[in-house]
Amino acid sequence: MTSTALRSRAWKLLEMVTTPLLPSDYLDLVSPLRAGGDLRGRIEAVHPETGDAATIVIRPGRGWRGHTAGQYVRIGVDVDGVRLWRAYSVTSPTDRRDGRITITVKAIPDGKVSNHLVRKAQPGTLIQLDQATGDFVLPEARPAKVLYLTAGSGITPVMGMLRDTEFDDVVMVHSAPRPHDVIFRDELHALVADKKLRLTELHTDTDGMLDIARLGELVPDWAERETWACGPAGLLDAAEDHWAEHGVPERLHTERFRPAVVVTGDGGEVTFAATGKTVDADGATPLLDVGEEAGVLMPSGCRMGICFGCVTPLKAGAVRDLRTGAITEAGPNVLIQTCVSAAAGPCDIER
Amino acid sequence: MTAIDPTAHLTAEQIEELGRELDAIRDEVIAGRGEKDAAYIRKVISAQRKLELVSRGVLLFSFFPPAWIIGTAGLSVAKIMDNMEIGHNILHGQWDWMRDPKIHSTTWEWDHVSPADQWKHSHNELHHTYTNVIGKDNDLGYGIMRVDEDQKWHPFHLAQPLWNFINACFFEYGIAAYDLELGKNLHKRRRKNPEFRARARAVGRKIRRQVLKDYVIHPLLSGPSFLTTLAATFTANLVRNLWSHSVIMCGHFPEGVQVFERRSIKGETRGQWYLRQMMGSANISGSKVMHFMTGNLSHQIEHHLFPDLPSNRYAEVAVKVRALFEKYELEYVTGPLPKQVFSAWHKVFRLSLPNRKPKATTPDREQELVAA
């Protein structure tokens, strides 16, 4: 018998000892970060960055497989007793010696998780963790010239890149309302002083928003640069148009944090087939919220349509994508993202 | 179906007002649910697991009598906690709002021979919807007992104190049989129903796993303590069964609790539904430990009004609910455990004999309301 087979036999036997619970239910009591358990992390420190942003140092469980600079991680945090999942960019370099990772969170108005993490999170708290993911990453082949175009908390994935990989020629254009709102400002200025970065800092409260058409004035050779852009949808939309107009769309890599929610649709009666629950939903509420309100255990993730942690089979009916207005109809193997889909008429979801 | 309807003095408007006041109590608790509540259930679950681990550990040395006593007592308490404060309440969805898949009504499984999903159907759906409606709520006597004067007496009922005692000793098996609707399904034709057979197989699997664990694997692990560990787990299961049977008998059986006719729930409003839960349930008074060990089913009235509110909130809710009972001049049936257990058993004995003289049927509540 191979050692794997032997181990699985032993585990089966252990399951008989602990039934109806699982051995892991008991192991979690003593070693929640062990290898082989559900992936979790422990918050070890919270460092304020600006008035409304903080960096959270997390010790990931033994099952953590590392990340690539620019990727994000989904974390599940208990806020007022309710487990909420969000996605945040990893801001630590990939070779951090102590194996810890950091995320940097900006508290957004009414943001349950972001405000909790920035203002209330305590060292020692356990959080749920997923493996890092996302393709907003640097390529294997090093580009000669790099441009980072960021705004607000859009700087976080780029900071992960800056800290991870040095390039010969890096320019960053970063927008924030005021100087003290610039996350990582001291570190950026230190990089500038070391001649590792050329930085244009725009303060939108006084300078106004960045006009992409005039990017050439700030970075004359922008079209030759491999560009990574992250920030509000308006900035990214404008950038995509601009790069496309100049025939270099392949040089632009973007990361969108929130969907532009279109309020539209008819709504309808939503049936959660597995639990047998039926509720009325309007055309503007994501099905994820509808299900959670009805007490259905819905898988969820970033809640903004990027992580696919919430995909669920659509068995019948149609849903509308709240970002684009596109209608998806049920069919074999049709999966929908419940966090950005609303009922477009009656529908039936496998939950 | 006592001769006098204790709710006859209420008008339809009053009953709806009562419903609104109860809704307000519920909304207040839901709005206030939070971190403390989540911490409470996590703490209880963790304590239960540790107690069970330690008790089973102690039982490895149960050939030594003090170890047997400590281990058996610990395991009995752990099993009671698992079934009452943890299992029953989680399976009611009381903690689903935490969105923790490990503490959710759809994923939880308990130390009990009835699989969680079958129990949820017969208990959450049938019993809690049709509370105390004769012919609809089989929890009333679990289909094997006569629970009201108006039910026809049969010589079979003479033995019901004995059935009830046997049921108490093997309560978890009684519940599993009840969830399977064994009485109804054992007829030849129904036995072959594939849906019933699948459910019966699920129960069989659960029983096998439970029995293997308690009566084979843990005794074997104890080596020289094989027999004493076997005796200890049997005792713990017996204690847990007797205890949960007693607590549950107190919920709907004691004198003063009303039962209802099928006709009376036709077209029932929310207010009337609430009123039926109030009149059909009874509480147990006592200390905090007492409430905890009953899984807060000592607050049966509150639990039946709000089956999905977290159990740790029933005590505070009870104060407000009791005030409503007084306001609407209704009887809040409660008493210490021995008194309530005695009252319930007394009823079982009393109704095992034919009535001395048949009592008049209760006037139908619906008709009364129309008259009012």
Side-chain angles (χ1 to χ4, degrees):
Chain A
M1 206 187 299
T2 64
S3 69
T4 336
L6 203 65
R7 214 177 306 151
S8 102
R9 275 270 177 98
W11 194 253
K12 282 246 162 66
L13 195 72
L14 206 55
E15 280 177 0
M16 286 164 76
V17 174
T18 61
T19 191
L21 300 180
L22 295 170
S24 60
D25 292 325
Y26 291 97
L27 292 171
D28 283 351
L29 290 176
V30 284
S31 178
L33 299 184
R34 73 189 186 283
D38 291 351
L39 187 58
R40 299 184 184 87
R42 197 189 294 281
I43 295 178
E44 293 202 328
V46 180
H47 303 301
E49 294 283 354
T50 64
D52 58 1
T55 290
I56 320 285
V57 181
I58 299 164
R59 180 181 153 211
R62 300 274 295 279
W64 174 251
R65 292 200 292 264
H67 76 286
T68 307
Q71 285 190 316
Y72 61 84
V73 60
R74 295 196 320 135
I75 65 170
V77 190
D78 294 332
V79 182
D80 293 335
V82 182
R83 182 155 305 163
L84 302 172
W85 287 83
R86 296 290 187 272
Y88 292 105
S89 296
V90 181
T91 48
S92 48
T94 52
D95 57 354
R96 197 176 148 128
R97 287 256 172 74
D98 62 4
R100 311 300 194 257
I101 56 168
T102 63
I103 54 171
T104 303
V105 180
K106 183 173 183 293
I108 55 172
D110 299 325
K112 277 188 192 161
V113 176
S114 60
N115 277 290
H116 177 85
L117 285 173
V118 171
R119 309 190 202 284
K120 290 202 189 131
Q122 292 294 324
T125 307
L126 272 187
I127 57 170
Q128 314 298 310
L129 213 57
D130 254 4
Q131 299 294 347
T133 183
D135 8 294
F136 188 69
V137 292
L138 298 172
E140 299 228 345
R142 288 185 163 216
K145 292 170 149 193
V146 170
L147 166 61
Y148 293 129
L149 179 61
T150 56
S153 59
I155 197 170
T156 53
V158 166
M159 200 63 204
M161 295 176 174
L162 267 177
R163 285 170 171 167
D164 194 71
T165 312
E166 276 187 29
F167 295 103
D168 299 334
D169 184 354
V170 189
V171 178
M172 174 184 254
V173 177
H174 179 64
S175 303
R178 293 162 299 182
H180 61 261
D181 294 321
V182 176
I183 307 173
F184 311 121
R185 191 161 191 246
D186 292 346
E187 195 175 340
L188 291 174
H189 285 229
L191 285 173
V192 170
D194 287 352
K195 303 217 176 336
K196 289 178 176 164
L197 173 72
R198 276 186 287 152
L199 173 70
T200 302
E201 203 179 302
L202 287 172
H203 303 130
T204 53
D205 272 7
T206 46
D207 308 340
M209 301 286 262
L210 171 67
D211 179 4
I212 285 280
R214 299 176 62 190
L215 181 65
E217 292 170 21
L218 302 170
V219 191
D221 58 351
W222 67 269
E224 296 163 29
R225 292 179 176 271
E226 203 69 22
T227 301
W228 282 268
C230 185
L235 174 74
L236 300 182
D237 290 344
E240 278 170 3
D241 290 347
H242 191 64
W243 260 256
E245 271 167 35
H246 289 81
V248 282
E250 73 285 353
R251 295 254 166 91
L252 178 68
H253 314 275
T254 58
E255 174 96 312
R256 285 174 186 273
F257 274 176
R258 0 203 83 247
V261 175
V262 185
V263 181
T264 172
D266 332 293
E269 194 172 73
V270 181
T271 306
F272 297 92
T275 38
K277 290 222 162 101
T278 301
V279 284
D280 278 323
D282 60 40
T285 310
L287 293 168
L288 174 58
D289 295 349
V290 173
E292 284 176 343
E293 282 300 307
V296 179
L297 185 60
M298 304 285 288
S300 70
C302 64
R303 311 181 84 88
M304 53 180 92
I306 59 170
C307 78
F308 290 81
C310 66
V311 289
T312 300
L314 177 64
K315 294 181 68 185
V319 299
R320 177 175 281 106
D321 188 317
L322 287 168
R323 298 165 299 180
T324 60
I327 299 276
T328 304
E329 285 176 15
N333 305 320
V334 170
L335 296 175
I336 53 158
Q337 290 171 274
T338 59
C339 72
V340 289
S341 301
C347 52
D348 198 337
I349 291 173
E350 177 82 57
R351 269 292 142 205
Chain B
M1 281 178 275
T2 35
I4 301 155
D5 179 0
T7 65
H9 61 286
L10 297 176
T11 64
E13 288 75 30
Q14 281 178 310
I15 294 173
E16 292 322 296
E17 177 57 22
L18 168 67
R20 281 190 291 276
E21 288 179 80
L22 286 166
D23 278 339
I25 294 175
R26 175 192 164 78
D27 292 347
E28 204 179 313
V29 174
I30 286 180
R33 281 185 315 205
E35 203 177 313
K36 270 190 187 167
D37 303 286
Y40 169 80
I41 190 65
R42 290 214 167 90
K43 198 172 109 191
V44 173
I45 291 172
S46 149
Q48 190 276 338
R49 286 178 185 167
K50 286 171 189 159
L51 177 61
E52 182 177 349
L53 272 179
V54 170
S55 304
R56 298 232 188 231
V58 170
L59 286 175
L60 298 178
F61 310 95
S62 54
F63 58 82
F64 181 53
W68 190 90
I69 291 169
I70 292 168
T72 307
L75 189 58
S76 304
V77 173
K79 278 177 176 273
I80 287 170
M81 284 168 74
D82 172 275
N83 277 193
M84 309 295 276
E85 182 66 346
I86 300 173
H88 171 269
N89 295 332
I90 289 176
L91 293 177
H92 259 292
Q94 291 182 5
W95 303 97
D96 284 8
W97 58 274
M98 289 163 62
R99 298 185 193 162
D100 181 346
K102 293 202 187 286
I103 310 179
H104 197 273
S105 62
T106 55
T107 58
W108 192 263
E109 193 52 82
W110 56 347
D111 186 7
H112 197 283
V113 297
S114 181
D117 57 336
Q118 296 198 21
W119 180 83
K120 275 191 292 184
H121 171 72
S122 61
H123 180 84
N124 293 1
E125 279 182 58
L126 302 181
H127 167 58
H128 273 270
T129 311
Y130 302 112
T131 310
N132 287 26
V133 177
I134 288 190
K136 287 284 240 180
D137 177 9
N138 287 322
D139 267 32
L140 276 179
Y142 306 101
I144 55 171
M145 285 197 295
R146 183 168 175 258
V147 292
D148 190 81
E149 273 84 358
D150 288 347
Q151 283 176 305
K152 207 177 154 205
W153 182 84
H154 191 275
F156 169 82
H157 291 124
L158 278 173
Q160 77 176 23
L162 179 66
W163 300 141
N164 199 36
F165 178 70
I166 294 171
N167 189 32
C169 294
F170 301 97
F171 194 44
E172 59 174 328
Y173 291 90
I175 299 258
Y178 167 66
D179 293 344
L180 272 176
E181 297 180 272
L182 214 51
K184 192 169 96 186
N185 282 313
L186 275 186
H187 294 293
K188 251 188 191 163
R189 286 231 325 274
R190 296 234 185 168
R191 249 187 339 224
K192 292 207 172 119
N193 178 332
E195 193 256 349
F196 167 71
R197 291 171 74 102
R199 291 199 297 126
R201 271 198 304 276
V203 173
R205 272 197 303 275
K206 188 81 195 284
I207 291 178
R208 200 166 59 238
R209 279 202 300 269
Q210 290 288 104
V211 167
L212 255 179
K213 171 185 74 161
D214 273 349
Y215 300 129
V216 180
I217 294 181
H218 282 282
L220 278 177
L221 285 174
S222 305
S225 297
F226 181 91
L227 282 178
T228 47
T229 299
L230 188 80
T233 35
F234 181 81
T235 308
N237 279 329
L238 183 69
V239 169
R240 183 264 314 268
N241 286 344
L242 288 171
W243 175 255
S244 47
H245 180 268
S246 300
V247 169
I248 285 153
M249 283 255 290
C250 293
H252 303 287
F253 279 74
E255 299 292 348
V257 172
Q258 307 295 309
V259 294
F260 306 89
E261 286 182 13
R262 272 189 214 222
R263 276 183 307 159
S264 73
I265 61 162
K266 254 194 187 163
E268 198 175 47
T269 65
R270 179 137 182 93
Q272 288 168 336
W273 183 86
Y274 269 138
L275 188 61
R276 175 157 57 86
Q277 306 303 327
M278 292 166 82
M279 303 319 295
S281 311
N283 281 4
I284 305 166
S285 58
S287 65
K288 276 193 173 165
V289 176
M290 176 75 196
H291 293 309
F292 178 78
M293 290 306 286
T294 64
N296 277 296
L297 289 181
S298 47
H299 300 296
Q300 187 77 236
I301 297 171
E302 289 73 21
H303 172 60
H304 261 267
L305 289 169
F306 314 115
D308 57 349
L309 289 188
S311 56
N312 60 326
R313 295 299 195 91
Y314 285 145
E316 64 182 70
V317 165
V319 180
K320 297 173 189 168
V321 168
R322 196 162 185 168
L324 285 183
F325 269 85
E326 277 165 29
K327 178 177 169 188
Y328 289 94
E329 295 170 20
L330 297 166
E331 191 196 351
Y332 189 83
V333 181
T334 184
L337 184 77
K339 178 183 159 230
Q340 299 296 80
V341 170
F342 176 81
S343 175
W345 272 100
H346 185 254
K347 196 178 197 175
V348 171
F349 274 94
R350 180 163 55 79
L351 294 169
S352 67
L353 300 171
N355 303 344
R356 286 197 196 103
K357 59 176 181 196
K359 291 185 182 173
T361 311
T362 322
D364 187 59
R365 191 153 57 84
E366 217 180 357
Q367 285 169 8
E368 284 252 325
L369 289 174
V370 174

